[in-house]
Structures are given as C-alpha cells and as structure tokens.
Amino acid sequence: METRTGDIHGYERDRHGEPVAAFVFSGWDDRGCAQYRLEPLTDDMAVVTAMFVWDGEQFTTDQSRCVPGQVGRERK
C-alpha cells in the first residue's frame, strides 16, 4: 500500500486494533538501516515526529536496535 508520500510497511493501531497511523518508508541511512516516519491516517490525528527503524520484530525509535538490510513488514 502507498500513501501520498511513500510506501506503507506497517501501522500503529489503537486499543481496538484499528490502524490510526502508518509507518512510511523514508529511505536507507548510512548503516544500511531502513528509516520510517509515522503518518496519521486522518487529518485530526497527531503523531510522534521521530524516525523509526525495524528491529526484526517491531518498529522502534531506538536507532541502535535496527537490523541493517531488513525492511519492516507488519505481520498479518
């Protein structure tokens, strides 16, 4: 799936399991880590302004946990 600005690789979900924001691929950093930004799915939603990486299990803001060469994909 793709947003206006990029490729979606996963979702932040509310307590009911509904997607409220998307993890959008932003590119690769100099370590070979995929970088993601969080984009709201509706105009009335605010999101954290931070870069996320994939740690092999989930998206995280802890840059030291990235897995170089891997892209995050939400498990179905």
Side-chain angles (χ1 to χ4, degrees):
M1 183 176 225
E2 196 169 304
T3 66
R4 295 183 304 256
T5 58
D7 211 15
I8 294 176
H9 286 207
Y11 295 94
E12 180 75 20
R13 297 179 181 278
D14 66 15
R15 63 185 179 146
H16 304 293
E18 295 298 318
V20 293
F23 289 101
V24 179
F25 179 71
S26 294
W28 299 93
D29 69 10
D30 59 348
R31 301 170 297 161
C33 295
Q35 295 287 316
Y36 299 88
R37 68 185 177 282
L38 201 53
E39 284 190 11
L41 296 178
T42 61
D43 291 335
D44 61 346
M45 169 85 180
V47 296
V48 175
T49 305
M51 293 307 290
F52 292 80
V53 294
W54 180 252
D55 72 0
E57 303 259 333
Q58 64 186 0
F59 294 96
T60 178
T61 57
D62 183 349
Q63 294 288 316
S64 69
R65 290 178 46 198
C66 86
V67 179
Q70 281 192 15
V71 293
R73 291 289 180 188
E74 182 178 76
R75 291 186 181 101
K76 301 292 181 208

Coordinates of all heavy atoms in Angstrom, one line a residue:
M1 N 0.8 -1.2 0.0 CA 0.0 0.0 0.0 C 0.9 1.2 0.0 O 2.0 1.2 0.5 CB -0.9 0.0 1.2 CG -1.9 1.1 1.3 SD -3.0 0.9 2.7 CE -4.5 1.3 1.9
E2 N 0.4 2.3 -0.5 CA 1.2 3.5 -0.6 C 0.3 4.7 -0.2 O -0.9 4.8 -0.4 CB 1.6 3.7 -2.1 CG 2.8 4.7 -2.2 CD 3.4 4.6 -3.6 OE1 3.8 3.6 -4.0 OE2 3.4 5.7 -4.2
T3 N 1.0 5.7 0.5 CA 0.3 6.9 0.8 C 0.7 8.0 -0.2 O 1.4 7.7 -1.2 CB 0.8 7.5 2.2 OG1 2.2 7.8 2.1 CG2 0.6 6.4 3.3
R4 N 0.3 9.2 0.0 CA 0.6 10.3 -0.9 C 2.2 10.4 -1.0 O 2.7 10.9 -2.0 CB 0.0 11.6 -0.5 CG -1.5 11.7 -0.5 CD -1.9 13.1 -0.1 NE -1.4 13.4 1.2 CZ -2.1 13.4 2.3 NH1 -3.4 13.1 2.3 NH2 -1.6 13.8 3.4
T5 N 2.8 10.1 0.1 CA 4.3 10.4 0.2 C 5.2 9.1 0.3 O 6.4 9.3 0.3 CB 4.5 11.2 1.4 OG1 4.1 10.5 2.6 CG2 3.9 12.5 1.4
G6 N 4.6 7.9 0.2 CA 5.5 6.8 0.2 C 4.9 5.4 0.5 O 3.6 5.3 0.6
D7 N 5.7 4.5 0.6 CA 5.3 3.1 0.8 C 5.0 2.7 2.3 O 5.9 2.9 3.1 CB 6.5 2.2 0.3 CG 6.0 0.9 -0.3 OD1 4.9 0.7 -0.6 OD2 6.9 0.0 -0.4
I8 N 3.9 2.2 2.6 CA 3.5 1.8 3.9 C 4.0 0.4 4.2 O 3.8 -0.5 3.4 CB 2.0 1.8 4.1 CG1 1.4 3.3 4.0 CG2 1.6 1.2 5.5 CD1 -0.1 3.4 4.1
H9 N 4.7 0.3 5.4 CA 5.2 -1.0 5.8 C 4.6 -1.6 7.0 O 4.9 -2.7 7.5 CB 6.8 -0.9 6.0 CG 7.5 -0.8 4.7 ND1 8.8 -1.3 4.5 CD2 7.1 -0.4 3.4 CE1 9.2 -1.1 3.3 NE2 8.2 -0.5 2.6
G10 N 3.7 -0.8 7.7 CA 3.0 -1.2 8.9 C 2.2 -0.1 9.4 O 2.1 1.0 8.9
Y11 N 1.5 -0.4 10.5 CA 0.5 0.5 11.1 C 0.7 0.6 12.7 O 1.0 -0.4 13.3 CB -0.9 0.1 10.8 CG -1.2 0.2 9.4 CD1 -1.1 -1.0 8.6 CD2 -1.6 1.3 8.8 CE1 -1.4 -0.9 7.2 CE2 -1.9 1.4 7.4 CZ -1.8 0.3 6.7 OH -2.0 0.4 5.3
E12 N 0.4 1.8 13.2 CA 0.2 2.0 14.6 C -1.3 1.8 14.8 O -2.1 2.3 14.1 CB 0.7 3.4 15.0 CG 0.5 3.7 16.5 CD 1.6 3.1 17.3 OE1 2.6 2.7 16.8 OE2 1.3 2.9 18.5
R13 N -1.6 1.0 15.8 CA -3.1 0.7 16.0 C -3.6 1.2 17.3 O -2.8 1.4 18.3 CB -3.3 -0.8 15.9 CG -2.9 -1.3 14.5 CD -3.1 -2.8 14.4 NE -2.7 -3.3 13.1 CZ -3.5 -3.2 12.0 NH1 -4.7 -2.7 12.1 NH2 -3.0 -3.6 10.8
D14 N -4.9 1.5 17.4 CA -5.5 1.9 18.6 C -5.8 0.7 19.5 O -5.5 -0.4 19.1 CB -6.7 2.8 18.4 CG -7.9 2.1 17.7 OD1 -7.9 0.8 17.7 OD2 -8.8 2.7 17.2
R15 N -6.4 1.0 20.6 CA -6.6 -0.1 21.6 C -7.6 -1.2 21.0 O -7.7 -2.3 21.6 CB -7.1 0.4 22.9 CG -8.4 1.1 22.8 CD -8.8 1.8 24.1 NE -10.0 2.5 24.0 CZ -11.0 2.6 24.9 NH1 -10.8 2.1 26.1 NH2 -12.1 3.2 24.6
H16 N -8.4 -0.8 20.0 CA -9.3 -1.8 19.4 C -8.7 -2.5 18.2 O -9.4 -3.3 17.5 CB -10.6 -1.0 18.9 CG -11.2 -0.2 20.0 ND1 -11.8 -0.8 21.1 CD2 -11.3 1.1 20.2 CE1 -12.3 0.1 21.9 NE2 -12.0 1.3 21.4
G17 N -7.4 -2.2 17.9 CA -6.8 -2.9 16.8 C -6.9 -2.2 15.4 O -6.5 -2.7 14.4
E18 N -7.6 -1.0 15.4 CA -7.8 -0.3 14.2 C -6.6 0.6 13.9 O -6.0 1.2 14.7 CB -9.0 0.6 14.3 CG -10.3 -0.1 14.5 CD -10.7 -1.0 13.3 OE1 -10.5 -0.6 12.2 OE2 -11.1 -2.1 13.6
P19 N -6.1 0.6 12.6 CA -5.0 1.4 12.2 C -5.3 2.9 12.3 O -6.4 3.4 11.9 CB -4.7 1.0 10.8 CG -5.9 0.3 10.3 CD -6.7 -0.1 11.5
V20 N -4.4 3.7 13.0 CA -4.6 5.1 13.1 C -3.4 5.9 12.5 O -3.6 7.1 12.2 CB -4.7 5.5 14.6 CG1 -6.0 4.9 15.2 CG2 -3.5 5.0 15.4
A21 N -2.3 5.2 12.3 CA -1.2 5.9 11.6 C -0.4 4.8 10.9 O -0.4 3.6 11.2 CB -0.3 6.6 12.7
A22 N 0.4 5.3 9.9 CA 1.1 4.3 9.0 C 2.6 4.6 9.2 O 3.1 5.7 9.3 CB 0.8 4.5 7.6
F23 N 3.4 3.5 9.2 CA 4.9 3.6 9.2 C 5.2 3.6 7.7 O 5.0 2.6 7.0 CB 5.5 2.4 9.9 CG 5.4 2.4 11.3 CD1 4.4 1.6 12.0 CD2 6.2 3.2 12.1 CE1 4.3 1.7 13.4 CE2 6.0 3.3 13.5 CZ 5.1 2.5 14.1
V24 N 5.8 4.8 7.3 CA 6.1 5.0 5.9 C 7.6 5.0 5.6 O 8.3 5.7 6.3 CB 5.5 6.4 5.4 CG1 5.8 6.6 3.9 CG2 4.0 6.4 5.6
F25 N 8.0 4.2 4.7 CA 9.4 4.0 4.4 C 10.0 5.4 3.9 O 9.4 6.0 3.0 CB 9.6 3.0 3.3 CG 11.0 2.8 2.9 CD1 11.9 2.2 3.8 CD2 11.5 3.2 1.7 CE1 13.3 1.9 3.4 CE2 12.8 2.9 1.3 CZ 13.7 2.4 2.1
S26 N 11.1 5.8 4.5 CA 11.7 7.1 4.1 C 13.0 6.9 3.4 O 13.5 7.9 2.7 CB 12.0 7.9 5.4 OG 10.8 8.3 6.0
G27 N 13.6 5.8 3.5 CA 14.9 5.6 2.8 C 15.9 4.8 3.7 O 15.5 4.4 4.8
W28 N 17.1 4.7 3.3 CA 18.2 4.0 4.0 C 19.2 5.0 4.6 O 19.5 6.0 4.0 CB 18.9 3.1 3.0 CG 18.0 2.0 2.4 CD1 17.4 2.1 1.2 CD2 17.6 0.8 3.0 NE1 16.6 1.0 1.0 CE2 16.8 0.2 2.0 CE3 18.0 0.1 4.1 CZ2 16.2 -1.1 2.3 CZ3 17.4 -1.2 4.3 CH2 16.6 -1.7 3.4
D29 N 19.6 4.7 5.8 CA 20.7 5.5 6.4 C 22.0 5.0 6.1 O 22.1 4.0 5.3 CB 20.5 5.7 7.9 CG 20.7 4.5 8.7 OD1 21.2 3.5 8.2 OD2 20.4 4.5 9.9
D30 N 23.1 5.6 6.5 CA 24.5 5.2 6.2 C 24.9 3.8 6.8 O 25.9 3.3 6.4 CB 25.5 6.3 6.6 CG 25.5 6.6 8.0 OD1 24.5 6.2 8.8 OD2 26.4 7.3 8.5
R31 N 24.1 3.3 7.7 CA 24.4 2.0 8.3 C 23.6 0.9 7.5 O 23.8 -0.3 7.9 CB 23.9 1.9 9.8 CG 24.5 3.0 10.7 CD 23.9 3.0 12.0 NE 22.5 3.4 11.8 CZ 21.5 3.2 12.7 NH1 21.8 2.6 13.8 NH2 20.3 3.7 12.5
G32 N 22.8 1.3 6.6 CA 22.0 0.3 5.8 C 20.7 0.0 6.5 O 20.1 -1.1 6.3
C33 N 20.3 0.8 7.4 CA 19.0 0.6 8.2 C 17.9 1.4 7.5 O 18.0 2.5 7.1 CB 19.2 1.2 9.6 SG 20.4 0.2 10.6
A34 N 16.8 0.7 7.3 CA 15.6 1.3 6.7 C 15.0 2.3 7.8 O 14.9 2.0 8.9 CB 14.5 0.2 6.4
Q35 N 14.7 3.5 7.3 CA 14.2 4.5 8.2 C 12.7 4.8 7.8 O 12.3 4.7 6.7 CB 14.9 5.8 8.0 CG 16.4 5.8 8.4 CD 16.5 5.7 9.9 OE1 15.8 6.5 10.7 NE2 17.4 4.8 10.4
Y36 N 11.9 5.0 8.9 CA 10.4 5.2 8.7 C 10.0 6.4 9.5 O 10.5 6.7 10.5 CB 9.7 4.0 9.3 CG 10.0 2.7 8.5 CD1 11.1 1.9 9.0 CD2 9.3 2.3 7.4 CE1 11.4 0.8 8.3 CE2 9.6 1.1 6.8 CZ 10.7 0.4 7.2 OH 11.0 -0.8 6.5
R37 N 8.9 7.0 8.9 CA 8.3 8.1 9.7 C 6.8 7.7 9.9 O 6.3 6.8 9.1 CB 8.3 9.4 8.9 CG 7.5 9.5 7.6 CD 7.8 10.8 6.9 NE 7.0 10.7 5.6 CZ 7.4 10.0 4.5 NH1 8.6 9.4 4.6 NH2 6.7 10.0 3.5
L38 N 6.2 8.2 10.9 CA 4.8 7.9 11.2 C 3.9 9.0 10.6 O 4.1 10.1 10.8 CB 4.6 7.8 12.7 CG 3.5 7.1 13.3 CD1 3.4 5.6 12.8 CD2 3.5 7.1 14.8
E39 N 2.9 8.5 9.8 CA 2.0 9.5 9.2 C 0.6 9.1 9.7 O 0.1 8.0 9.6 CB 2.0 9.3 7.6 CG 3.1 9.9 7.0 CD 3.0 10.0 5.5 OE1 1.9 9.7 5.0 OE2 4.0 10.3 4.8
P40 N -0.2 10.2 10.1 CA -1.6 9.9 10.5 C -2.4 9.5 9.3 O -2.2 9.9 8.2 CB -2.0 11.3 11.1 CG -1.1 12.3 10.4 CD 0.2 11.6 10.2
L41 N -3.4 8.7 9.6 CA -4.3 8.3 8.5 C -5.5 9.2 8.4 O -6.2 9.2 7.4 CB -4.8 6.9 8.8 CG -3.7 5.8 8.8 CD1 -4.3 4.4 9.1 CD2 -3.0 5.8 7.4
T42 N -5.7 10.1 9.4 CA -6.8 11.1 9.3 C -6.2 12.5 9.7 O -5.2 12.5 10.4 CB -8.0 10.8 10.3 OG1 -7.5 10.7 11.6 CG2 -8.6 9.4 9.9
D43 N -6.8 13.5 9.2 CA -6.3 14.9 9.5 C -6.4 15.3 10.9 O -5.7 16.2 11.4 CB -7.1 15.9 8.6 CG -6.8 15.7 7.1 OD1 -5.7 15.2 6.8 OD2 -7.6 16.1 6.3
D44 N -7.3 14.7 11.7 CA -7.5 15.0 13.1 C -6.6 14.3 14.1 O -6.7 14.4 15.3 CB -8.9 14.9 13.5 CG -9.4 13.5 13.4 OD1 -8.8 12.6 12.8 OD2 -10.5 13.2 14.0
M45 N -5.6 13.5 13.5 CA -4.7 12.7 14.4 C -3.3 13.3 14.4 O -2.8 13.8 13.4 CB -4.6 11.3 13.7 CG -3.6 10.4 14.2 SD -4.2 9.5 15.6 CE -2.7 8.6 16.0
A46 N -2.8 13.4 15.6 CA -1.4 13.8 15.8 C -0.5 12.6 16.0 O -0.9 11.6 16.6 CB -1.3 14.8 17.0
V47 N 0.7 12.7 15.5 CA 1.7 11.6 15.6 C 3.0 12.1 16.1 O 3.3 13.3 16.0 CB 1.9 10.8 14.3 CG1 0.6 10.1 13.9 CG2 2.4 11.7 13.2
V48 N 3.8 11.2 16.6 CA 5.2 11.5 17.1 C 6.0 11.9 15.9 O 6.0 11.2 14.9 CB 5.8 10.2 17.8 CG1 7.2 10.5 18.1 CG2 5.0 9.8 19.0
T49 N 6.7 12.9 16.0 CA 7.7 13.3 14.9 C 9.0 12.8 15.3 O 9.8 13.4 16.0 CB 7.7 14.9 14.8 OG1 6.4 15.4 14.6 CG2 8.6 15.3 13.6
A50 N 9.3 11.6 14.8 CA 10.6 10.9 15.1 C 10.8 9.9 13.9 O 9.9 9.5 13.2 CB 10.5 10.2 16.4
M51 N 12.0 9.5 13.8 CA 12.3 8.4 12.8 C 12.3 7.1 13.6 O 12.8 7.0 14.7 CB 13.7 8.7 12.2 CG 13.7 10.0 11.3 SD 12.4 10.0 10.1 CE 13.0 8.7 8.9
F52 N 11.8 6.1 12.9 CA 11.7 4.8 13.4 C 12.6 3.8 12.6 O 12.8 4.1 11.4 CB 10.2 4.3 13.3 CG 9.3 5.0 14.3 CD1 8.8 6.2 13.9 CD2 8.9 4.4 15.5 CE1 7.9 6.9 14.8 CE2 8.0 5.1 16.3 CZ 7.5 6.4 15.9
V53 N 13.0 2.7 13.2 CA 13.7 1.6 12.5 C 12.9 0.3 12.8 O 12.1 0.2 13.7 CB 15.2 1.5 12.9 CG1 15.9 2.7 12.5 CG2 15.3 1.2 14.4
W54 N 13.3 -0.7 12.0 CA 12.7 -2.0 12.2 C 13.8 -2.8 13.0 O 14.9 -2.9 12.6 CB 12.4 -2.7 10.9 CG 11.9 -4.1 11.0 CD1 12.5 -5.2 10.7 CD2 10.6 -4.5 11.4 NE1 11.7 -6.3 10.9 CE2 10.5 -5.9 11.3 CE3 9.5 -3.7 11.8 CZ2 9.3 -6.6 11.7 CZ3 8.3 -4.4 12.2 CH2 8.3 -5.8 12.1
D55 N 13.4 -3.5 14.1 CA 14.3 -4.2 14.9 C 14.2 -5.7 14.7 O 14.8 -6.5 15.5 CB 14.2 -3.9 16.4 CG 13.0 -4.4 17.1 OD1 12.1 -5.0 16.4 OD2 12.8 -4.1 18.3
G56 N 13.5 -6.1 13.7 CA 13.3 -7.5 13.4 C 12.0 -8.0 13.9 O 11.5 -9.1 13.5
E57 N 11.4 -7.3 14.9 CA 10.1 -7.7 15.5 C 9.0 -6.5 15.4 O 7.9 -6.8 15.2 CB 10.3 -8.0 16.9 CG 11.3 -9.1 17.2 CD 10.6 -10.4 17.5 OE1 9.4 -10.4 17.9 OE2 11.2 -11.5 17.2
Q58 N 9.5 -5.3 15.5 CA 8.6 -4.2 15.6 C 9.3 -2.9 15.2 O 10.5 -2.9 15.1 CB 8.0 -4.0 17.0 CG 9.1 -3.7 18.0 CD 8.6 -3.7 19.4 OE1 7.4 -3.9 19.6 NE2 9.4 -3.4 20.4
F59 N 8.5 -1.8 14.9 CA 9.1 -0.5 14.7 C 9.5 0.1 16.0 O 8.7 0.0 17.0 CB 8.1 0.4 13.9 CG 7.8 -0.2 12.5 CD1 6.7 -1.0 12.3 CD2 8.6 0.1 11.5 CE1 6.4 -1.4 11.0 CE2 8.3 -0.3 10.2 CZ 7.2 -1.1 10.0
T60 N 10.6 0.8 16.1 CA 11.1 1.4 17.3 C 11.8 2.7 17.0 O 12.4 2.8 15.9 CB 11.9 0.5 18.1 OG1 12.4 1.1 19.3 CG2 13.2 0.0 17.3
T61 N 11.8 3.6 17.9 CA 12.6 4.8 17.8 C 14.1 4.6 18.3 O 14.9 5.5 18.1 CB 12.0 6.0 18.6 OG1 11.9 5.7 19.9 CG2 10.7 6.4 18.0
D62 N 14.3 3.5 18.9 CA 15.7 3.2 19.3 C 16.6 2.8 18.1 O 16.6 1.6 17.7 CB 15.6 2.0 20.4 CG 17.0 1.7 20.9 OD1 18.0 2.2 20.4 OD2 17.0 1.0 21.9
Q63 N 17.3 3.8 17.6 CA 18.1 3.6 16.4 C 19.1 2.5 16.5 O 19.5 1.9 15.6 CB 18.7 4.9 16.0 CG 17.7 6.0 15.6 CD 17.1 5.7 14.2 OE1 17.8 5.3 13.3 NE2 15.8 5.9 14.1
S64 N 19.6 2.2 17.7 CA 20.6 1.2 17.9 C 20.1 -0.2 17.7 O 20.9 -1.2 17.6 CB 21.2 1.3 19.3 OG 20.3 0.9 20.3
R65 N 18.8 -0.4 17.7 CA 18.2 -1.7 17.5 C 17.9 -2.1 16.1 O 17.3 -3.1 15.8 CB 16.9 -1.8 18.4 CG 17.2 -1.8 19.8 CD 16.0 -1.9 20.7 NE 15.0 -2.9 20.3 CZ 13.8 -2.9 20.7 NH1 13.4 -1.9 21.5 NH2 13.0 -3.8 20.3
C66 N 18.2 -1.2 15.1 CA 17.9 -1.5 13.7 C 18.6 -2.8 13.3 O 19.7 -3.2 13.8 CB 18.3 -0.4 12.8 SG 20.0 -0.4 12.2
V67 N 18.0 -3.5 12.3 CA 18.6 -4.6 11.6 C 19.0 -4.2 10.2 O 18.1 -4.0 9.4 CB 17.6 -5.8 11.6 CG1 18.2 -7.0 10.9 CG2 17.1 -6.2 13.0
P68 N 20.3 -4.0 10.0 CA 20.7 -3.5 8.7 C 20.3 -4.4 7.5 O 20.3 -5.6 7.7 CB 22.2 -3.5 8.8 CG 22.5 -3.3 10.2 CD 21.4 -4.1 10.9
G69 N 19.8 -3.8 6.5 CA 19.4 -4.6 5.3 C 18.0 -5.1 5.3 O 17.5 -5.6 4.3
Q70 N 17.3 -5.0 6.5 CA 15.9 -5.5 6.6 C 14.9 -4.3 6.5 O 15.2 -3.3 7.1 CB 15.7 -6.3 7.9 CG 16.2 -7.6 7.9 CD 15.7 -8.4 9.1 OE1 14.8 -8.0 9.8 NE2 16.3 -9.5 9.3
V71 N 13.8 -4.6 5.9 CA 12.7 -3.6 5.9 C 11.6 -4.2 6.8 O 11.4 -5.4 6.9 CB 12.1 -3.3 4.5 CG1 13.1 -2.5 3.7 CG2 11.7 -4.5 3.8
G72 N 10.9 -3.3 7.5 CA 9.8 -3.8 8.4 C 8.6 -4.1 7.6 O 8.3 -3.5 6.6
R73 N 7.9 -5.2 8.0 CA 6.7 -5.6 7.4 C 5.8 -6.1 8.5 O 6.1 -7.0 9.3 CB 6.8 -6.7 6.4 CG 7.5 -6.2 5.1 CD 6.6 -5.3 4.3 NE 7.4 -4.8 3.1 CZ 6.9 -3.9 2.3 NH1 5.8 -3.3 2.5 NH2 7.6 -3.6 1.2
E74 N 4.6 -5.4 8.6 CA 3.7 -5.8 9.6 C 3.2 -7.2 9.4 O 2.8 -7.6 8.3 CB 2.5 -4.9 9.6 CG 1.4 -5.1 10.6 CD 0.3 -4.1 10.6 OE1 -0.5 -4.3 9.7 OE2 0.3 -3.2 11.4
R75 N 3.2 -8.0 10.4 CA 2.7 -9.4 10.3 C 1.2 -9.4 10.3 O 0.5 -8.6 11.0 CB 3.2 -10.2 11.5 CG 4.6 -10.5 11.5 CD 5.0 -11.4 12.6 NE 6.4 -11.6 12.5 CZ 7.3 -11.0 13.3 NH1 6.9 -10.2 14.2 NH2 8.6 -11.3 13.2
K76 N 0.6 -10.2 9.5 CA -0.9 -10.3 9.3 C -1.4 -11.2 10.4 O -0.9 -12.1 10.8 CB -1.3 -10.8 8.0 CG -0.8 -9.9 6.9 CD -1.4 -8.6 6.9 CE -0.9 -7.7 5.7 NZ -0.9 -6.4 5.8

